[in-house]
């Protein structure tokens, strides 16, 4: 038992010595070599540079250890270039603590000094895991972090810190500003910064499009198209003294702005219209092809994060391109991405595409080939497809037709009526058509031919690309006549930034020929039948008169 107790006592002594040793290891002198890993998050893109510039540094003494903090040379000045206090006292629940005297205005001023080279080269932070977080091992102190190299996103400067706290207290939020030496257990604590950023975007939409795609639709000449431009005011720090934010819109020759329809609001309603003294509008009238809404600096700075909705109407006019010749509408956002008021503005765009169709019309612009779907023939005529061409015999010119659109309920639309006369080649051309279903009837036959009473059904269907690069562009369209798909045309495009068509694949499944019957050659009133009787009667009368006068001579003699 004595030996057992002696062993326990020895183990207790060893354990006590170990605990003392561990405690002594925790209590060490703070030195200028103390550092910890600090990080910032919410970096939304690769390829940027994230740099931490020291603005507050820790001070040390060889015998006393950490002695407190001070401003780095060139920092700590307010707008009047007088030194500001490093700390301010704040009391929470009766407890008074010291807080760094660095507000947003000070962060902006310090970031400007960093950009001007007054704070040296700084420490570059490297992307970690996840890649949106950047990290760097930094000595004790406070740092202003600046993100550069972004083309689109606006990153505001921010503050991070590496500072001393008392170990074992469970309170890492208390900044120790008094002296620390080897008699006190301490820790280095780091703040994780969340970079405040905003990425302005602009989205152009067709309100109630004729298709399922709000970037591409089909429309008839003379119809009105309603548009919506959506964006959001960015978040600018005080470093941006005169930020710019403006939205412009440009329509092609085939669209005309509808005067009085422009509305600038926060949600698209008149009730939440933005007062007109907060922006300037230039160019919105029926003779313009571009308008611009430029917001005032005061409104930009006071309404960060506010939705901006611009709505207006435009009419498809007679200059509209036909079939694959798109009528475009492009919204452009221009905004400050650099605190320097003279710096170039960043731009973003979004485009909508508007198509109107034609039967026997140019496929893609005035110089392109003509489509072939509908022909007028005499009773012996033919219209047949051979490869990608149509061969017509005995075409009939001069026949008048009416093409009228059908409403969803099957009734005829009085506002969409089109007329055409067959040409020398027999073709019937209609242009400026919306997609949908139509009724085609002959209203006047050429001289010597009977009127065709048949009502023909004509249908136009369109499909649009919904990929990111070609969203809204016309992919293909099909003409169907009397239930038969006459022609299908499908396009591919040269590049993602334009509407130039590289190729158009044509699939001719048939062509429709409408025949007229020649009238029979029947005698008309006063025609050949009456003439024979008239001549015969006159001859009899002349013969009778001759016999009468001959008889009179004999009697006289």
């Amino acid at each position: 038992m004595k030996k057992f107790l002696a062993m326990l006592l020895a183990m207790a002594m060893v354990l006590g010595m170990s605990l003392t040793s561990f405690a002594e290891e925790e209590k060490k002198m703070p030195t200028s070599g103390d550092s910890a890993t600090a990080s910032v998050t919410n970096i939304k893109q690769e390829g940027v540079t994230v740099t931490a510039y020291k603005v507050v540094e820790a001070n040390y003494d060889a015998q006393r250890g950490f002695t407190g903090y001070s401003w780095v040379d060139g920092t700590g000045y307010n707008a009047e270039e007088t030194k500001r206090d490093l700390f301010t006292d704040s009391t929470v629940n009766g407890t008074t603590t010291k807080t760094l005297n660095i507000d947003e205005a000070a962060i902006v001023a310090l970031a400007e000094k960093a950009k001007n080279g007054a704070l040296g080269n700084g420490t570059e932070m490297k992307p970690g895991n996840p890649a949106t977080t950047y990290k760097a091992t930094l000595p004790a102190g406070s740092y202003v972090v600046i993100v550069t190299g972004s083309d689109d996103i606006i990153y505001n400067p921010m503050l991070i810190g590496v500072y001393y706290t008392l170990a074992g207290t469970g309170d890492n939020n208390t900044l120790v500003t008094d002296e620390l030496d080897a008699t006190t257990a301490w820790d280095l604590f780091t703040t994780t910064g969340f970079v405040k950023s905003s990425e302005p975007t602009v989205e152009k939409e067709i309100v109630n499009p004729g298709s399922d795609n709000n970037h591409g639709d089909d429309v008839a000449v003379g119809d009105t198209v309603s548009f919506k431009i959506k964006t959001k005011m960015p978040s600018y720090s005080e470093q941006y003294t005169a930020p710019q934010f403006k939205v412009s819109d440009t329509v092609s020759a085939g669209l005309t702005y509808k005067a009085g329809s422009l509305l600038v609001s926060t949600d698209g309603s008149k009730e939440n219209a933005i007062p007109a003294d907060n922006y300037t509008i230039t160019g919105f009238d029926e003779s313009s092809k571009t308008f611009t809404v430029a917001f005032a600096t005061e409104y930009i700075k006071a309404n960060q994060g506010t939705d901006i909705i611009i709505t207006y109407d435009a009419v498809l006019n007679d200059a509209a391109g036909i079939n694959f010749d798109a009528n475009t509408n492009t919204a452009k956002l221009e905004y400050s991405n650099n605190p320097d008021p003279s710096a170039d503005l960043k731009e973003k765009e979004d485009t909508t595409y508007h198509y109107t169709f034609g039967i026997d019309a140019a496929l893609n612009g005035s110089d392109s080939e003509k489509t072939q779907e509908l022909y007028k023939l005499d009773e012996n005529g033919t219209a047949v497809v051979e490869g990608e061409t149509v061969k017509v015999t005995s075409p009939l010119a001069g026949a008048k037709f009416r093409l009228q659109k059908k409403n969803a309920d099957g009734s005829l639309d009085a506002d969409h009526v089109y007329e055409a006369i067959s040409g020398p080649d027999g073709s019937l051309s209609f242009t400026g058509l919306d997609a949908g279903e139509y009724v085609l009837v002959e209203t006047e036959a050429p001289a010597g031919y009977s009127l065709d009473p048949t009502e023909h059904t004509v249908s136009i269907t369109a499909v649009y690309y919904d990929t990111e690069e070609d969203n809204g562009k016309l992919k293909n369209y099909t003409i169907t006549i009397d239930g038969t798909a006459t022609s299908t045309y499908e396009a591919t495009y040269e590049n993602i930034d334009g509407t130039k068509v590289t190729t158009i694949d044509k699939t001719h499944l048939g062509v429709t020929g409408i025949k007229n019957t020649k009238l029979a050659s029947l005698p008309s009133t006063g025609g050949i039948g009456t003439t024979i009787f008239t001549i015969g009667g006159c001859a009899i009368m002349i013969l009778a008169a001759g016999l009468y006068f001959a008889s009179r001579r004999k009697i006289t003699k």
Side-chain angles (χ1 to χ4, degrees):
M1 181 62 70
K2 289 182 180 179
K3 292 181 179 180
F4 178 72
L5 292 174
M7 184 177 66
L8 288 178
L9 180 59
M11 292 177 63
M13 290 175 64
V14 171
L15 181 60
M17 292 174 62
S18 299
L19 291 174
T20 303
S21 176
F22 294 151
E24 288 177 350
E25 288 180 1
E26 288 181 357
K27 293 181 180 180
K28 60 181 181 179
M29 181 74 76
T31 68
S32 59
D34 296 337
S35 61
T37 300
S39 59
V40 295
T41 64
N42 199 40
I43 306 297
K44 297 182 177 180
Q45 60 190 143
E46 297 179 355
V48 297
T49 301
V50 181
T51 309
Y53 297 89
K54 184 187 287 187
V55 295
V56 173
E57 61 185 355
N59 302 313
Y60 300 91
D61 181 86
Q63 285 72 40
R64 293 181 295 159
F66 168 71
T67 60
Y69 294 99
S70 64
W71 293 108
V72 172
D73 289 344
T75 65
Y77 292 93
N78 58 22
E80 291 76 27
E81 289 300 313
T82 58
K83 202 79 168 181
R84 69 168 68 211
D85 293 334
L86 181 57
F87 297 103
T88 58
D89 292 335
S90 59
T91 302
V92 179
N93 298 325
T95 302
T96 300
T97 59
K98 292 185 179 298
T99 305
L100 275 172
N101 187 19
I102 303 179
D103 55 14
E104 183 176 354
I107 293 174
V108 169
L110 292 168
E112 193 64 29
K113 288 179 180 291
K115 288 186 175 182
N116 292 335
L119 302 183
N121 295 326
T123 300
E124 185 175 344
M125 306 183 77
K126 299 297 184 180
N129 186 17
T132 56
T133 297
Y134 280 63
K135 298 182 178 182
T137 300
L138 302 171
S142 295
Y143 299 80
V144 166
V145 178
I146 299 175
V147 181
T148 56
S150 170
D151 290 333
D152 302 316
I153 300 177
I154 299 168
Y155 291 99
N156 292 332
M158 63 165 302
L159 190 72
I160 61 173
V162 178
Y163 57 87
Y164 288 99
T165 64
L166 296 177
T169 63
D171 184 7
N172 287 327
N173 293 319
T174 300
L175 173 68
V176 175
T177 60
D178 299 327
E179 292 185 3
L180 287 175
D181 57 22
T183 64
T184 306
W186 52 267
D187 284 327
L188 270 182
F189 186 73
T190 61
T191 57
T192 298
F194 185 86
V195 179
K196 187 178 180 181
S197 65
S198 59
E199 183 180 6
T201 59
V202 62
E203 184 177 0
K204 182 68 170 293
E205 291 183 357
I206 306 166
V207 180
N208 299 321
S211 70
D212 294 331
N213 189 311
N214 64 9
H215 275 67
D217 73 344
D218 34 77
V219 60
V221 168
D223 283 356
T224 297
V225 184
S226 296
F227 295 98
K228 179 188 292 184
I229 302 173
K230 300 192 300 185
T231 185
K232 185 186 292 289
M233 198 66 71
S235 295
Y236 288 110
S237 69
E238 293 298 325
Q239 193 176 13
Y240 288 79
T241 57
Q244 298 185 58
F245 189 85
K246 54 186 178 180
V247 179
S248 61
D249 187 273
T250 301
V251 296
S252 60
L255 288 164
T256 301
Y257 291 126
K258 199 169 184 178
S261 64
L262 183 63
L263 174 66
V264 183
S265 69
T266 58
D267 63 359
S269 69
K270 292 182 179 179
E271 291 76 15
N272 291 307
I274 299 173
D277 56 356
N278 293 304
Y279 55 85
T280 301
I281 297 177
T282 56
F284 189 86
D285 57 59
E286 294 182 353
S287 63
S288 299
K289 291 300 176 186
T290 300
F291 74 81
T292 301
V293 179
F295 290 87
T297 299
E298 294 76 13
Y299 184 84
I300 296 171
K301 299 177 74 173
N303 292 273
Q304 299 182 37
T306 299
D307 290 329
I308 305 296
I309 307 295
I310 300 174
T311 58
Y312 66 93
D313 296 334
V315 178
L316 194 70
N317 60 46
D318 290 334
I322 305 297
N323 294 328
F324 285 103
D325 189 7
N327 304 279
T328 60
N329 189 339
T330 300
K332 180 170 69 174
L333 171 65
E334 298 174 89
Y335 62 95
S336 297
N337 195 36
N338 189 315
D340 184 357
S342 64
D344 292 337
L345 300 180
K346 296 298 180 181
E347 298 181 358
K348 290 190 174 182
E349 293 185 350
D350 197 20
T351 299
T352 57
Y353 305 88
H354 311 274
Y355 299 89
T356 188
F357 298 104
I359 296 173
D360 284 86
L363 188 57
N364 183 36
S366 58
D367 296 332
S368 65
E369 64 178 309
K370 182 181 176 184
T371 66
Q372 298 170 294
E373 289 95 19
L374 195 60
Y375 285 87
K376 187 64 179 174
L377 313 171
D378 69 14
E379 56 191 353
N380 298 314
T382 59
V384 295
V385 177
E386 294 184 2
E388 290 191 349
T389 62
V390 174
K391 290 193 174 181
V392 178
T393 62
S394 300
L396 193 58
K400 292 184 179 181
F401 280 81
R402 180 180 69 244
L403 184 68
Q404 189 166 6
K405 190 176 182 182
K406 294 176 69 174
N407 295 313
D409 61 3
S411 62
L412 294 179
D413 187 347
D415 295 327
H416 294 86
V417 181
Y418 309 87
E419 293 186 345
I421 300 175
S422 59
D425 62 350
S427 63
L428 284 165
S429 180
F430 296 94
T431 59
L433 308 177
D434 192 359
E437 189 170 319
Y438 294 80
V439 173
L440 176 70
V441 294
E442 186 175 12
T443 58
E444 185 177 329
Y449 290 85
S450 61
L451 189 69
D452 179 14
T454 306
E455 287 190 355
H456 302 274
T457 299
V458 178
S459 179
I460 303 173
T461 56
V463 177
Y464 297 88
Y465 282 103
D466 58 5
T467 57
E468 181 178 352
E469 61 271 18
D470 290 322
N471 190 26
K473 295 177 184 178
L474 180 62
K475 182 178 183 181
N476 63 65
Y477 75 94
T478 299
I479 305 289
T480 300
I481 301 176
D482 291 334
T484 300
T486 300
S487 301
T488 296
Y489 306 95
E490 181 159 341
T492 54
Y493 294 86
E494 183 178 62
N495 56 65
I496 64 174
D497 298 321
T499 58
K500 184 177 180 180
V501 176
T502 304
T503 58
I504 298 178
D505 293 329
K506 298 181 293 182
T507 304
H508 281 286
L509 304 178
V511 62
T512 300
I514 301 176
K515 296 184 178 182
N516 274 59
T517 302
K518 198 170 186 178
L519 292 170
S521 300
L522 298 174
S524 60
T525 303
I528 185 68
T530 306
T531 301
I532 293 174
F533 288 108
T534 301
I535 294 173
C538 290
I540 292 173
M541 291 178 65
I542 292 171
L543 179 60
L547 292 174
Y548 171 76
F549 286 115
S551 176
R552 289 286 302 270
R553 286 195 193 102
K554 289 181 179 181
I555 293 172
T556 301
K557 292 180 178 179

